[in-house]
Amino acid sequence: MTPDHGELLYEGKAKRVFALPDPGQVLVEYKNDATAFNAQKKAQLEDKGRLNCQISARLFELLAVAGIPTHYVGLAGETWMVVQRVEIIPLEVVLRNIATGSLCRQTPIAQGTQLDPPLLDLYYKDDALGDPLLTDARVRLLGVADEARLSAIEQLARRVNGLLLAFFDAIDLQLVDFKLEMGLNAAGDLLLADEISPDTCRLWDRRTGDVDDRILDKDRFRKDLGGVMEAYGEVLKRVQASTSNPVNCL
Ligand code: TMP
Ligand code: ASP
């Protein structure tokens, strides 16, 4: 069922954002559209919107319990959530615990290398430019955030990583890497925004040693491994089973 909402404010690759009567809030709809490689690969994945919305909601709830400021307000249906309206900082913050993906394509670092401390990479959020990897100097040159805010962004991302690593570990999922986005609300608070789901995380199943079978995230779609929604469903099942008492799982 579609909740009441105002005008469409923004449509991205995986979500739509609608106005709400409260100007401090917006309604987010999670879509079934799947894209990869900067939308060069596209598909409709039945049920993806619901799975990502429900997984994100549980993860935002448990992060909030642990003191992380997030945009999440509450669920408004199977594919809908109410969030605080924020101005998104145009940075994609990627935290890497284990080397894979673009890190291994762009450097000689071997697949599977444990990264300690976890590597934090900043990308410029701009589809037309293909979300380029930034250097520290380019981040400063772009002026997307001052020194204090950059340091707050890094601290928040590292705290989220620590909490999610422990949470996923307890449900036999290895958090390989993930992407976060952050924004500023009307009061100027830095909030964790966007989504946290198998679209934006790499999650490996510790219950199998098979290098393909263990993939429970969007890499199944990127690499044509099949069973994409079954994998997301398994993540939701474990996340739901473990968050009946969120305080205990952190
Ligand atoms: P990468 O290895 O392709 O750089 O991806 C690192 C992590 O960021 C991985 O968990 C997938 C996620 N990610 C996104 O959420 N959106 C993106 O556009 C890209 C490229 C990666
Ligand atoms: N999010 C990007 C896209 O939609 C890339 C990716 O996740 O692989 O194209």
Side-chain angles (χ1 to χ4, degrees), residues 13-14 34-41 92 127 131 179 199-200 202 218-219 221-222:
K13 291 188 294 250
T35 63
F37 314 116
N38 205 17
Q40 290 176 71
K41 179 171 181 171
E92 301 206 341
D127 282 340
D131 299 338
K179 185 262 299 182
D199 266 13
T200 60
R202 284 197 176 94
K218 195 159 121 182
D219 272 352
F221 172 66
R222 294 189 188 98

Side-chain angles (χ1 to χ4, degrees), residues 58-164:
R58 298 298 187 292
L59 296 175
F60 281 130
E61 280 165 12
L62 72 91
L63 289 171
V65 167
I68 300 291
T70 86
H71 73 157
Y72 178 76
V73 174
L75 279 170
E78 289 196 324
T79 60
W80 302 87
M81 66 169 66
V82 177
V83 303
Q84 286 191 52
R85 188 193 278 249
V86 295
E87 192 180 324
I88 292 284
I89 297 167
L91 290 175
E92 301 206 341
V93 185
V94 170
L95 256 293
R96 301 177 192 273
N97 296 303
I98 295 167
T100 190
S102 67
L103 178 62
C104 296
R105 287 197 303 274
Q106 296 166 354
T107 73
I109 296 166
Q111 288 276 351
T113 305
Q114 193 77 38
L115 302 168
D116 188 16
L119 180 67
L120 185 146
D121 282 330
L122 294 178
Y123 294 80
Y124 187 55
K125 182 177 159 62
D126 185 323
D127 282 340
L129 296 175
D131 299 338
L133 175 63
L134 296 173
T135 60
D136 278 356
R138 287 184 186 194
V139 173
R140 278 149 188 88
L141 188 65
L142 281 164
V144 286
D146 64 17
E147 292 304 315
R149 180 144 299 138
L150 283 172
S151 150
I153 289 170
E154 170 154 3
Q155 243 186 48
L156 187 58
R158 290 193 183 277
R159 278 173 64 206
V160 169
N161 185 41
L163 291 160
L164 290 183

